[in-house]
Amino acid sequence: MTWIDLLDLVQSVFDGVMFGTTYALIGIGFTLIFGVMHKINLSYAAASIGAAYLSLLVVQIAPTPLVYLSAALLGGVLGALVYLVCFRFLPLDQPLATLMSTVGMLLLLEEAIVHATAGMPQNYPSLFAGVVFDMGPFMVRGDLLFVFALGCAAMVGLKLMLEKTRLGLATRAVAQQSVAARLCGMSVSTTNATTFIIAGFLGGTAGAMTGAAIGVLSPLLTLPMTVKGLVVTVIGGLGSIPGAIIAGLVVGGVENLFQFLRGVSERDIYVMLMLFAFLVFRPGGLFAAPGGRD
């Protein structure tokens, strides 16, 4: 490998790490819901992409930053809808019932997107598209830098909410001891619904960031984002938000590394091999989730 090839490889990994913030946000959404309810919401990434699609309804009448904001808000709306349909009125002690309901919601959202767009990719507005910053031998894409910064801002906002607000206290209390939280006067169902809405905000942001970084939205994104989000959640450790953040950046970097070395058609194979390695050698993920649940 020549020096030029090595620089290109480092550049590719760097770009992947910045794009990995979208995987981190999807992983955080999975982690939030699993941490509070100990349930996997397989429709989460599809709802995130769906929120980004819905935000295109305002693209002609609003500046680009408001399109991203509308994607986040619509993600919260879809999160509340998923909770009502797939969790609120189903027996939570039957994990297969809730799991399969989210599979059905994933297929429903995916088909709705296909029918609304005739299956055709849609252009998505991007700030700083075509802007490139020189950093010595490397270049930083303006759109990826914006995606990375917005993702970091969303993560910091979530951390402050969980640690500094009554809502965050209720969320952590229900996640650790739901019976004790109920005895303290906290509404478990309200907290669960709020968690879905917060996760939806993050998912809508991730969907908008994905569209901004790629330049288009496609119904074909729902399955890869679902799989990558689950990979990030498992590698980071079920229920661990710091683990999801680190794992998202790692998965993004590894994905671009093998895309550079082996091409687009093989990159997902190596991401899955990394997942299998974690399952064998560190099944608890990067961070073990604390606490129990009654």
Side-chain angles (χ1 to χ4, degrees), residues 41 75 92 94 98 113 115 154 156 185-186 201-202 227 238 250 253 259 268 271 283-284 287:
N41 173 22
L92 296 181
Q94 298 293 326
T98 54
I113 293 172
H115 283 288
V156 171
M186 299 177 185
F201 290 152
L202 295 175
V227 173
L238 291 174
V250 170
Q259 178 175 316
D268 290 342
V271 171
F287 297 93

mmCIF file of all heavy atoms in Angstrom, residues 41 75 92 94 98 113 115 154 156 185-186 201-202 227 238 250 253 259 268 271 283-284 287:
data_model
loop_
_atom_site.group_PDB
_atom_site.id
_atom_site.type_symbol
_atom_site.label_atom_id
_atom_site.label_comp_id
_atom_site.label_asym_id
_atom_site.label_seq_id
_atom_site.Cartn_x
_atom_site.Cartn_y
_atom_site.Cartn_z
ATOM 1 N N ASN A 41 -37.861 -2.473 19.892
ATOM 2 C CA ASN A 41 -38.783 -1.862 18.933
ATOM 3 C C ASN A 41 -38.152 -1.928 17.546
ATOM 4 O O ASN A 41 -37.376 -1.063 17.152
ATOM 5 C CB ASN A 41 -39.072 -0.413 19.336
ATOM 6 C CG ASN A 41 -39.876 0.328 18.285
ATOM 7 O OD1 ASN A 41 -40.563 -0.281 17.465
ATOM 8 N ND2 ASN A 41 -39.791 1.650 18.300
ATOM 9 N N GLY A 75 -40.646 12.714 14.113
ATOM 10 C CA GLY A 75 -40.159 11.478 14.707
ATOM 11 C C GLY A 75 -40.793 11.228 16.056
ATOM 12 O O GLY A 75 -41.140 10.088 16.399
ATOM 13 N N LEU A 92 -47.608 -6.716 27.983
ATOM 14 C CA LEU A 92 -46.158 -6.561 27.983
ATOM 15 C C LEU A 92 -45.437 -7.791 28.514
ATOM 16 O O LEU A 92 -44.237 -7.948 28.317
ATOM 17 C CB LEU A 92 -45.769 -5.329 28.815
ATOM 18 C CG LEU A 92 -46.262 -3.978 28.270
ATOM 19 C CD1 LEU A 92 -45.786 -2.849 29.174
ATOM 20 C CD2 LEU A 92 -45.799 -3.760 26.843
ATOM 21 N N GLN A 94 -45.922 -10.623 27.405
ATOM 22 C CA GLN A 94 -45.795 -11.524 26.254
ATOM 23 C C GLN A 94 -44.828 -10.882 25.256
ATOM 24 O O GLN A 94 -45.246 -10.132 24.377
ATOM 25 C CB GLN A 94 -47.156 -11.758 25.607
ATOM 26 C CG GLN A 94 -48.179 -12.425 26.511
ATOM 27 C CD GLN A 94 -47.788 -13.851 26.841
ATOM 28 O OE1 GLN A 94 -47.203 -14.552 26.016
ATOM 29 N NE2 GLN A 94 -48.094 -14.282 28.056
ATOM 30 N N THR A 98 -45.359 -8.094 21.493
ATOM 31 C CA THR A 98 -44.853 -6.750 21.214
ATOM 32 C C THR A 98 -43.790 -6.776 20.121
ATOM 33 O O THR A 98 -43.740 -5.865 19.280
ATOM 34 C CB THR A 98 -44.273 -6.121 22.491
ATOM 35 O OG1 THR A 98 -43.299 -6.997 23.072
ATOM 36 C CG2 THR A 98 -45.371 -5.856 23.512
ATOM 37 N N ILE A 113 -44.107 4.243 2.736
ATOM 38 C CA ILE A 113 -43.110 5.064 2.046
ATOM 39 C C ILE A 113 -43.048 4.703 0.565
ATOM 40 O O ILE A 113 -43.001 5.572 -0.311
ATOM 41 C CB ILE A 113 -41.727 4.896 2.706
ATOM 42 C CG1 ILE A 113 -41.728 5.480 4.118
ATOM 43 C CG2 ILE A 113 -40.640 5.566 1.867
ATOM 44 C CD1 ILE A 113 -40.465 5.175 4.904
ATOM 45 N N HIS A 115 -45.374 3.327 -1.328
ATOM 46 C CA HIS A 115 -46.577 3.756 -2.053
ATOM 47 C C HIS A 115 -46.611 5.271 -2.222
ATOM 48 O O HIS A 115 -47.069 5.773 -3.258
ATOM 49 C CB HIS A 115 -47.832 3.272 -1.331
ATOM 50 C CG HIS A 115 -48.118 1.818 -1.534
ATOM 51 N ND1 HIS A 115 -48.571 1.297 -2.729
ATOM 52 C CD2 HIS A 115 -47.996 0.748 -0.703
ATOM 53 C CE1 HIS A 115 -48.732 -0.015 -2.630
ATOM 54 N NE2 HIS A 115 -48.382 -0.376 -1.403
ATOM 55 N N ALA A 154 -27.318 16.510 19.833
ATOM 56 C CA ALA A 154 -28.464 15.718 20.264
ATOM 57 C C ALA A 154 -28.094 14.794 21.424
ATOM 58 O O ALA A 154 -28.867 14.630 22.379
ATOM 59 C CB ALA A 154 -29.005 14.900 19.088
ATOM 60 N N VAL A 156 -25.656 15.287 23.667
ATOM 61 C CA VAL A 156 -25.455 16.105 24.862
ATOM 62 C C VAL A 156 -26.801 16.525 25.451
ATOM 63 O O VAL A 156 -27.006 16.496 26.671
ATOM 64 C CB VAL A 156 -24.591 17.348 24.531
ATOM 65 C CG1 VAL A 156 -24.566 18.322 25.706
ATOM 66 C CG2 VAL A 156 -23.171 16.923 24.180
ATOM 67 N N GLY A 185 -45.224 7.241 43.118
ATOM 68 C CA GLY A 185 -46.195 8.088 42.448
ATOM 69 C C GLY A 185 -45.906 8.365 40.993
ATOM 70 O O GLY A 185 -46.580 9.203 40.374
ATOM 71 N N MET A 186 -44.916 7.695 40.411
ATOM 72 C CA MET A 186 -44.590 7.905 39.003
ATOM 73 C C MET A 186 -45.483 7.033 38.130
ATOM 74 O O MET A 186 -45.717 5.864 38.443
ATOM 75 C CB MET A 186 -43.121 7.576 38.732
ATOM 76 C CG MET A 186 -42.148 8.432 39.513
ATOM 77 S SD MET A 186 -40.426 7.946 39.213
ATOM 78 C CE MET A 186 -39.573 9.029 40.371
ATOM 79 N N PHE A 201 -37.710 11.715 18.701
ATOM 80 C CA PHE A 201 -36.980 12.931 18.369
ATOM 81 C C PHE A 201 -35.579 12.599 17.852
ATOM 82 O O PHE A 201 -35.129 13.134 16.829
ATOM 83 C CB PHE A 201 -36.858 13.844 19.596
ATOM 84 C CG PHE A 201 -38.151 14.482 20.020
ATOM 85 C CD1 PHE A 201 -38.360 14.826 21.341
ATOM 86 C CD2 PHE A 201 -39.156 14.745 19.107
ATOM 87 C CE1 PHE A 201 -39.545 15.419 21.750
ATOM 88 C CE2 PHE A 201 -40.354 15.331 19.499
ATOM 89 C CZ PHE A 201 -40.546 15.672 20.830
ATOM 90 N N LEU A 202 -34.899 11.714 18.586
ATOM 91 C CA LEU A 202 -33.547 11.322 18.171
ATOM 92 C C LEU A 202 -33.579 10.595 16.824
ATOM 93 O O LEU A 202 -32.725 10.815 15.962
ATOM 94 C CB LEU A 202 -32.909 10.420 19.232
ATOM 95 C CG LEU A 202 -32.650 11.054 20.595
ATOM 96 C CD1 LEU A 202 -32.133 10.000 21.566
ATOM 97 C CD2 LEU A 202 -31.644 12.195 20.492
ATOM 98 N N VAL A 227 -30.818 -2.842 10.984
ATOM 99 C CA VAL A 227 -29.765 -3.809 11.311
ATOM 100 C C VAL A 227 -28.577 -3.115 11.973
ATOM 101 O O VAL A 227 -28.070 -3.572 13.010
ATOM 102 C CB VAL A 227 -29.319 -4.563 10.041
ATOM 103 C CG1 VAL A 227 -28.110 -5.448 10.348
ATOM 104 C CG2 VAL A 227 -30.463 -5.399 9.494
ATOM 105 N N LEU A 238 -26.589 -3.754 25.812
ATOM 106 C CA LEU A 238 -28.015 -3.447 25.904
ATOM 107 C C LEU A 238 -28.292 -2.546 27.100
ATOM 108 O O LEU A 238 -27.962 -2.877 28.240
ATOM 109 C CB LEU A 238 -28.822 -4.739 26.022
ATOM 110 C CG LEU A 238 -28.859 -5.624 24.772
ATOM 111 C CD1 LEU A 238 -29.571 -6.926 25.068
ATOM 112 C CD2 LEU A 238 -29.547 -4.892 23.633
ATOM 113 N N VAL A 250 -17.709 3.490 16.033
ATOM 114 C CA VAL A 250 -16.846 2.374 15.616
ATOM 115 C C VAL A 250 -17.420 1.680 14.390
ATOM 116 O O VAL A 250 -16.696 1.387 13.421
ATOM 117 C CB VAL A 250 -16.661 1.379 16.773
ATOM 118 C CG1 VAL A 250 -15.980 0.095 16.280
ATOM 119 C CG2 VAL A 250 -15.841 2.003 17.894
ATOM 120 N N GLY A 253 -16.881 3.761 11.306
ATOM 121 C CA GLY A 253 -15.496 3.710 10.847
ATOM 122 C C GLY A 253 -15.132 2.382 10.220
ATOM 123 O O GLY A 253 -14.488 2.336 9.159
ATOM 124 N N GLN A 259 -15.282 -0.820 3.218
ATOM 125 C CA GLN A 259 -15.748 -0.344 1.920
ATOM 126 C C GLN A 259 -14.568 0.101 1.071
ATOM 127 O O GLN A 259 -14.528 -0.143 -0.138
ATOM 128 C CB GLN A 259 -16.718 0.823 2.104
ATOM 129 C CG GLN A 259 -17.215 1.406 0.782
ATOM 130 C CD GLN A 259 -18.255 2.483 0.988
ATOM 131 O OE1 GLN A 259 -19.162 2.342 1.794
ATOM 132 N NE2 GLN A 259 -18.127 3.585 0.257
ATOM 133 N N ASP A 268 -20.797 -4.806 4.613
ATOM 134 C CA ASP A 268 -21.696 -5.252 5.675
ATOM 135 C C ASP A 268 -21.294 -6.615 6.217
ATOM 136 O O ASP A 268 -21.583 -6.936 7.374
ATOM 137 C CB ASP A 268 -23.134 -5.302 5.162
ATOM 138 C CG ASP A 268 -23.698 -3.911 4.916
ATOM 139 O OD1 ASP A 268 -23.125 -2.935 5.446
ATOM 140 O OD2 ASP A 268 -24.700 -3.786 4.183
ATOM 141 N N VAL A 271 -18.880 -5.945 9.012
ATOM 142 C CA VAL A 271 -19.574 -5.392 10.179
ATOM 143 C C VAL A 271 -20.241 -6.516 10.963
ATOM 144 O O VAL A 271 -20.181 -6.553 12.204
ATOM 145 C CB VAL A 271 -20.610 -4.334 9.748
ATOM 146 C CG1 VAL A 271 -21.485 -3.922 10.930
ATOM 147 C CG2 VAL A 271 -19.913 -3.109 9.175
ATOM 148 N N PRO A 283 -19.834 -10.888 25.176
ATOM 149 C CA PRO A 283 -21.277 -10.934 24.924
ATOM 150 C C PRO A 283 -22.056 -9.817 25.595
ATOM 151 O O PRO A 283 -23.166 -9.501 25.175
ATOM 152 C CB PRO A 283 -21.683 -12.312 25.461
ATOM 153 C CG PRO A 283 -20.588 -12.708 26.402
ATOM 154 C CD PRO A 283 -19.337 -12.101 25.852
ATOM 155 N N GLY A 284 -21.499 -9.215 26.652
ATOM 156 C CA GLY A 284 -22.192 -8.118 27.317
ATOM 157 C C GLY A 284 -22.035 -6.787 26.627
ATOM 158 O O GLY A 284 -22.620 -5.789 27.057
ATOM 159 N N PHE A 287 -20.197 -1.999 27.342
ATOM 160 C CA PHE A 287 -20.588 -1.642 28.707
ATOM 161 C C PHE A 287 -21.772 -2.508 29.102
ATOM 162 O O PHE A 287 -22.748 -2.596 28.369
ATOM 163 C CB PHE A 287 -20.996 -0.166 28.792
ATOM 164 C CG PHE A 287 -19.892 0.790 28.474
ATOM 165 C CD1 PHE A 287 -19.722 1.263 27.183
ATOM 166 C CD2 PHE A 287 -19.029 1.224 29.453
ATOM 167 C CE1 PHE A 287 -18.705 2.149 26.870
ATOM 168 C CE2 PHE A 287 -17.999 2.109 29.139
ATOM 169 C CZ PHE A 287 -17.840 2.575 27.847
#
